[in-house]
Structures are given as C-alpha cells and as structure tokens.
Amino acid sequence: MYKVLGYCNLHHSVKLGPLTEERSLASTPFLGRYAFIDFTLSNFSNSGIDRIGILVKEHLRSLVKHLGSSNAWTINTKIGTKAILYNEKDAKNSRYNHDVNNIKENDWLILREKADFVVIAPVHFVMAINYQEVIDEHVKNGADITIVYQKVDNAKTHFETCDVLTLSNNVITSLKENKCTKDNAYISLETYVISMQKFEELIYKISKISALYELRDLILYAIQNEKVYGFEHKGYVRCFDTLNHYLEYSLELLDFKTRQKLFLENWPIYTITNDTPPTKYLNNADVKNSFISNGAVIDGKVENSILSREVIVKEGAVIKNSIILTDCVISSDAHLEYVIEDKYSKVMRAKDIRGSKEDPIFIKQGDVI
Amino acid sequence: MAKDLVAMILAGGKGTRLEALTKKVAKPAVYYGGRYRIIDFPLSNCANSGIDTVGVLTQYESVALNNYIGNGAKWGLDGNRSLALILPPRQKEEGANWYRGTADAIAQNIDFLDSVNPKYVLILSGDHIYKMNYRQMLADHLKNKADATIAVLNVSLKEASRFGIMNVKEDMSIYEFEEKPEKPKSTLASMGIYIFSYSVLKEALIKDLNNEKSSHDFGKNIIPYLIAKNKRVFAYRFEGYWKDVGTLESLWEANMDLLDNKQDVGLYDNDHMKIYSEDTKSVPEYIGKKGIVKNSLLNQGSVVLGKVEHSIISNEAIIEEEAEVIDSVVMPGARIKKGAKVYRTIVGENMVIEENEIINKEKKGIVLIKD
C-alpha cells in the first residue's frame, strides 16, 4: 500500500450567502446531523488515508469547534495525522492567502510524512468516493496528475461555479470555467491525485512564475506540460454553491433512491457526537418525508423538511420545505415554508413566513422574530 | 496521586429474568430508551459527579460489555487524570476464582484499590436507571462522620418486602438491615449504592473473604457486619426516578416511562446531568411520506415508513410501509416488515418481523422477540 497524504482544501469553498457569513462551508450544518467536511474526512478515512492536512483560509473558530479532538475520524491517533494548516503570514492579504502559499508555508507536513502521493479534495462537492481507486488508476496510467470528474447533463443550471474539462483518450487537454451554455459537460470535481515528487516540483515551479498562482493555475500549467489524466466518478455528486442549491440539494436527499447513492453500504459518514437524547414525538406530531435529528421535540406538523438537533416544534406549528438548524424554536401557529432558519433562533411572533423555491427566506442566527 | 472518591461498578450479573435478552450480553449492556445501554446511567452519573476513576467489574458474557466500556471515552473518562478500568476475574498467585458475590468482587480487587489509594469508595450497580449526583451523597457521608452510607429510596409498604429494608433512627443512622422482610418495619429500600470509608471497607472485605459461611454479598454480609460492629452506618435518602429493570415487564415499563411518566429519568432536563452514550455511525432519522409517528422516541438512523405509536425506536431500526408498532420497544437494527403489526412487544437487536406477521394480537403481557 502507498503512503498517501491527504489535503482537505477549504481555500476554494464556495459561499452559501448568509449561512456562510461567519462560518466556513466545511463546518456548515448539513442534513441535520453532519457538517460538509464530514463527507471529505470520511472519504479519506474509509479510503484508508489517515494523514490529513486541512488547508484553512478563514473562519477557524467554527471549524476547530466542529473538529474537536477529531476522534470521530481516524486521524487523531498516534499513527494518524491531523494538521490544521493556516497561512498566518498571508492571512490578512486575500491575494496571497491561497492554497499554494498555504501548502508552501506548511511544507513541514510534506517533509514529515514522506508520502508517495497526495490527494487534494474540497468539501463543497458532496460525494462518496474511494480515493484508493483513483490512485490505482493514476498508477496504471503512469500519470503525473489525475483529476476526478463527472460527466453531467445539466451543466446549464447546475455546477455554475465549476470548471469544465475536455478529454482526449482520458487525457485532459483543457480546463475552463463553466459558461453554462451546454448541458453536457465533464465537470472537474476539484479532486486531484498527484505523485509526490511532481507535486513538490510543481508547487515551487508555479510560485516562481507568479506568487499569486493558486492550485487551479498549477493544474492549468500541468495540463499544458505534464501527463494529466481524468478519473470518472459515476456516483452521486452535487456542488453546494448557493443558498438555493443548499435547500434544493438537501431536500432532494429525502428521496430514498437519491439518498442510497450517497450513503453507501460499508461507507459510513462519521461526525461528532453531541450525546443528545432521541427525538421526542408528542401527541400532535405529524411528520412526513423529513429528516429529524436527536434531541428535537415535535408536537406540530413537519413536511419535506430537515430539522437539526434540539429543535422544538410546538403544537399547531407548520414547517414545509424548510431547513431548521440546531436549537431553534417554532411556536404555535407559526407557518414556515421554504425557510432556512439558522441556529438558536426563535419564531415567536411572526405567524406566516413563506419563501419560495427560488427565493427562500433566511432567518439569522439567534434572532427572535 | 491519591483520589478522594473512586467508583466501582458491579456489572457482572446475568439478569436471568430478562430471558433471551441477556443470553449473549450482561444485563448492564441491555439497550434502553432507543439509544442507551443501562450502564450509561451509572457511568454518566460518575462523570457528572466529577468522579474520574471508575472500575467496572464484569464477569457474565463480558466481551460485548468490555468492548463497550473501552477506555471510558464515551463518558469522558479517558483524560490524563482519569481512568476507566475493566476488572474481570483473573488468575492470581493464590489461584483463580470467579467473583462469588458482590463483596467478593471488590475484595478480589483490593490490590487495584490500594494502587489508587482512595479515601472513599463508591459501590454502584451497573443495571439501574437513575440520575444522581454522588457528591451530594459523599457530603452527607462526611457530615455524619460515617463509615458507610447507603442510598435509600422510599417505597410503598407493599413493595417493601421485595427489597433490602433499612431500619433507621431519627438521625438516619441504620440500626438494622432486613433482606426482603415479610413484615417490613420501614419503607426505606436499599438502592445498592454505597459509600464506604476505604479503610473500614477494606477491613470488612478481608474478614468476609475468609469467612466460608458468608455469601460475600454487600447487603447480606458486609452491611450487617458493620452494624454489628457498631460502625457508623447511615442512610442517604434519594429522591427522584430510580428503576431496577429486573424483568421484561419492568424493562418495558421503564421504556414507557419515557413517554408517559412526567417524573421519568429526565433525559431532556437542563440539569447538567446529561446521559452520555455511544455515538452510532447512523444516517439521519427519516420519516416517510406515509409515516405516522406519535407519542414516541426515535433515535438517529431509524426509518419509519409505517405507523409508530407510543413506542421506542432505536437506531437503524426500520418500520416498513403499512407496518404498525404500538406500545412497543424496538431495539437497534430490528426490522418490522411490510404489513406486520407489533403490540406490547420488545423486539430484540437485529430481529426481523416478517411481512404481515402479527405479534401479541391480544395485547396481553409483554412479548419478547429474540433468538
């Protein structure tokens, strides 16, 4: 087995509007019980990769809180590595605070781990993927870099912030921004396998060309000058890139068939524990097609929605097509539709809060309305 | 470093009256409330009482229980200065012995207690459901300058003959202990929770160890011995929920208490006495388009496509379409298939109720489904 160093790259995390104003996408709540980074870390863990560097750009607080001692994954043991990599030197200079500089600033990890390959993966693509299979393919092809991609037929309305690849015999010949003009496209999932020697070489080479060059520029350079192959990921993938998509894609997973593609047999998704008691359903509870998390106490109506931990839904309250985050209270007779309610907020006086699929209503963290 | 208070949890019992539920696991490892095992309660109580050294004495079917306890991390007992140690019977220079009784189990681990060198030892049972701050009991022990303090619960006169009953003076000092008396003189029942000053305990245990007539039991032997020796033995009155789930009926009742009893163990109370447990690698809990869930507790990872009323559903349990679960307890990984109906039943871990099967149609007694 190869020695592999995994980078969880948060530098290119997309923004979900007000939801990510003060938190990183990595630690943003997802499906009631997870945060986005859980999927990437679980993919690493399940792929047998337990030396991980997390490349952090900003919002350290919420991320450190979520990671805790990281004993939910396998990276905090004596044989594993969890390093939170932060480029303090360039933290206040947004042009310089990019992934390549962060990797260089924290090159002690490369020197220490002496890995054969690096795997770089973001958190805004939610999927279940075995990186070992990508490495095997990478070795078989004798590639310098392998890029994971998906062949999609909806690139006009989805993957708007992503890059489109062109391939010839599985060799990648170009990478361009998705202009959303064609539905059929090969979308880059920004997940890369790179042979270690080539990685070190390219990191320093690219910095000499421009100090502002980021990982994406490194890949662009490599496509021109090195052997860059594609690896097709055929399973579930969604790019969580806007608040609307956050709502749409989250609710989409209520469908069993869709969910089955993400939550695979023998591919557990690990997360931190909160030791909350089970969900309590009272006499007037009427819950349909929803994810409900532990500690919630429900006496109202909940439909096509996702409730996080310890949400209280009072008798007579109605929640439809909404995502309610941890510790919220929905009082009697409140009616919520297409609402994203951030943590610790309370709906006390407002009776009718209705957004739409295209324009969901956002309730700020801790607000009482 | 000497410790002021260490806990020893007796978790070796078989729990014969729980029938097939304890065929493969010890009673403290039995599931409760959809996400707990019974031993989570004393272990969480220790953690919440600031007791950082806990010995767990296991014997009967101990593999699953030992594995569950691990290094104590589930209850925050894995820190630098804390210790959760599993103490099964072992071979020694003098020979090998099973634990012959509750007192013998502690006596055989005097070497461990000596190494920790505590001032006071708290003896607990691993199969009771309750929340208790043991520090308050220790404060009482200190105030009374006691050698031993026994937690007691006020029971009804009718129930009293099922328990070990403490007869006390006005100052709560115990002058007599009666095991399951026919005509009880008091209604203060022992909860099997003791605090001993270690030096007194050690002396009594060593004496008892060599007494061939003794059944090596705290209630039957150690406490009467201390009373006879005029030691200062006091009762500490506990008020609150406490349940010894000895039988299938009482296990079922204890689960139903979480739905019906306003004075239940208080899982949702904001009292800094959280009950810690294992975090299963579950997917989110899902209620289907035709699902009906009322007056019930559901744990993460459960899926309800049918109807659940007045029941406890554990992680990874699946209730399929048109299935009905009423007044029942469904343990982890169990599956109630399409059209099956289950009334007043405890469905054991990973059990399957086949399509259209009806369990306990007459709704009488409590049925256990377990292989």
Side-chain angles (χ1 to χ4, degrees), chain A residues 119-313:
Chain A
V119 175
I120 306 174
V123 298
H124 53 286
F125 289 99
V126 171
M127 57 181 155
I129 181 169
N130 188 343
Y131 300 125
Q132 290 295 349
E133 288 174 14
V134 189
I135 294 170
D136 289 345
E137 186 86 4
H138 176 88
V139 173
K140 211 178 81 193
N141 289 333
D144 295 315
I145 297 181
T146 299
I147 303 179
V148 180
Y149 69 90
Q150 184 157 69
K151 199 174 158 186
V152 308
D153 58 8
N154 55 2
K156 275 187 190 170
T157 49
H158 300 272
F159 304 102
E160 285 115 315
T161 57
C162 301
D163 287 322
V164 173
L165 305 172
T166 50
L167 288 100
S168 153
N169 283 333
N170 220 16
V171 172
I172 291 171
T173 52
S174 82
L175 177 148
K176 291 191 185 97
E177 276 170 36
N178 180 13
K179 298 265 193 276
C180 303
T181 50
K182 274 194 286 185
D183 264 331
N184 290 313
Y186 299 107
I187 297 292
S188 162
L189 304 184
E190 293 169 40
T191 300
Y192 313 108
V193 170
I194 311 178
S195 308
M196 185 49 103
Q197 216 182 342
K198 189 58 76 179
F199 179 64
E200 284 188 84
E201 182 191 317
L202 285 172
I203 285 281
Y204 289 96
K205 199 180 265 178
I206 207 77
S207 301
K208 288 208 177 94
I209 301 173
S210 166
L212 301 184
Y213 269 9
E214 308 183 7
L215 192 66
R216 186 175 179 275
D217 301 300
L218 182 150
I219 298 294
L220 280 170
Y221 174 87
I223 289 170
Q224 300 305 319
N225 301 291
E226 314 284 346
K227 283 178 281 180
V228 182
Y229 279 76
F231 177 95
E232 187 181 359
H233 171 70
K234 289 183 176 155
Y236 170 95
V237 69
R238 281 296 194 194
C239 177
F240 285 73
D241 47 8
T242 62
L243 193 63
N244 287 9
H245 277 162
Y246 172 73
L247 183 65
E248 182 187 340
Y249 298 161
S250 295
L251 298 185
E252 192 178 77
L253 283 161
L254 290 170
D255 176 63
F256 179 66
K257 289 219 168 79
T258 311
R259 191 157 80 240
Q260 247 184 337
K261 291 181 205 154
L262 177 59
F263 293 100
L264 308 176
E265 290 271 334
N266 303 320
W267 204 263
I269 305 302
Y270 306 103
T271 187
I272 49 166
T273 177
N274 285 283
D275 289 286
T276 29
T279 320
K280 195 166 200 166
Y281 295 80
L282 303 176
N283 268 328
N284 304 300
D286 179 6
V287 181
K288 302 267 186 274
N289 195 37
S290 297
F291 290 139
I292 313 288
S293 305
N294 274 2
V297 179
I298 300 172
D299 205 18
K301 191 175 161 107
V302 181
E303 219 179 283
N304 302 326
S305 295
I306 299 172
L307 271 55
S308 287
R309 279 179 295 110
E310 294 171 292
V311 169
I312 295 173
V313 183

Side-chain angles (χ1 to χ4, degrees), chain B residues 110-125:
Chain B
I110 280 179
D111 55 349
F112 164 69
L113 284 171
D114 280 343
S115 74
V116 195
N117 188 20
K119 273 196 195 132
Y120 309 99
V121 178
L122 170 69
I123 307 288
L124 301 170
S125 165

Side-chain angles (χ1 to χ4, degrees), chain B residues 18-221:
Chain B
L18 287 175
E19 300 169 26
L21 265 185
T22 50
K23 206 163 83 181
K24 284 284 159 220
V25 293
K27 187 169 146 193
V30 167
Y31 291 106
Y32 172 71
R35 78 162 282 161
Y36 305 95
R37 291 184 191 253
I38 297 172
I39 199 167
D40 287 334
F41 289 85
L43 280 166
S44 299
N45 288 340
C46 284
N48 292 329
S49 305
I51 298 171
D52 60 12
T53 303
V54 181
V56 183
L57 298 110
T58 63
Q59 176 158 287
Y60 174 76
E61 276 297 348
S62 56
V63 175
L65 186 56
N66 295 352
N67 182 26
Y68 184 67
I69 290 159
N71 65 350
K74 296 183 185 78
W75 308 275
L77 295 169
D78 59 335
N80 246 343
R81 276 181 297 225
S82 50
L83 175 68
L85 191 67
I86 300 156
L87 298 165
R90 59 200 144 122
Q91 198 168 29
K92 295 180 186 175
E93 210 179 357
E94 313 85 78
N97 281 315
W98 293 107
Y99 294 151
R100 295 169 295 170
T102 51
D104 185 48
I106 305 298
Q108 288 199 40
N109 288 290
I110 280 179
D111 55 349
F112 164 69
L113 284 171
D114 280 343
S115 74
V116 195
N117 188 20
K119 273 196 195 132
Y120 309 99
V121 178
L122 170 69
I123 307 288
L124 301 170
S125 165
D127 44 18
H128 296 158
I129 298 164
Y130 65 108
K131 276 185 180 181
M132 182 170 176
N133 186 341
Y134 304 124
R135 288 277 164 193
Q136 285 167 8
M137 183 171 166
L138 180 65
D140 217 55
H141 182 84
L142 294 174
K143 194 190 78 201
N144 290 328
K145 299 194 168 53
D147 297 308
T149 301
I150 304 168
V152 294
L153 191 74
N154 204 7
V155 296
S156 68
L157 198 61
K158 206 177 111 204
E159 283 177 303
S161 35
R162 292 200 293 119
F163 289 96
I165 295 297
M166 302 294 158
N167 298 323
V168 299
K169 294 182 195 157
E170 227 167 72
D171 64 351
M172 291 302 276
S173 64
I174 300 170
Y175 66 90
E176 190 185 24
F177 170 83
E178 289 184 285
E179 181 73 28
K180 297 180 183 154
E182 267 178 49
K183 285 186 186 153
K185 288 178 224 155
S186 123
T187 52
L188 297 178
S190 166
M191 299 163 68
I193 299 169
Y194 312 94
I195 288 180
F196 293 97
S197 299
Y198 180 51
S199 52
V200 175
L201 175 68
K202 188 174 166 180
E203 190 262 338
L205 286 176
I206 291 172
K207 201 146 245 168
D208 179 76
L209 192 63
N210 300 317
N211 178 357
E212 281 179 14
K213 283 185 212 144
S214 172
S215 46
H216 309 294
D217 186 81
F218 274 101
K220 280 187 207 135
N221 308 104

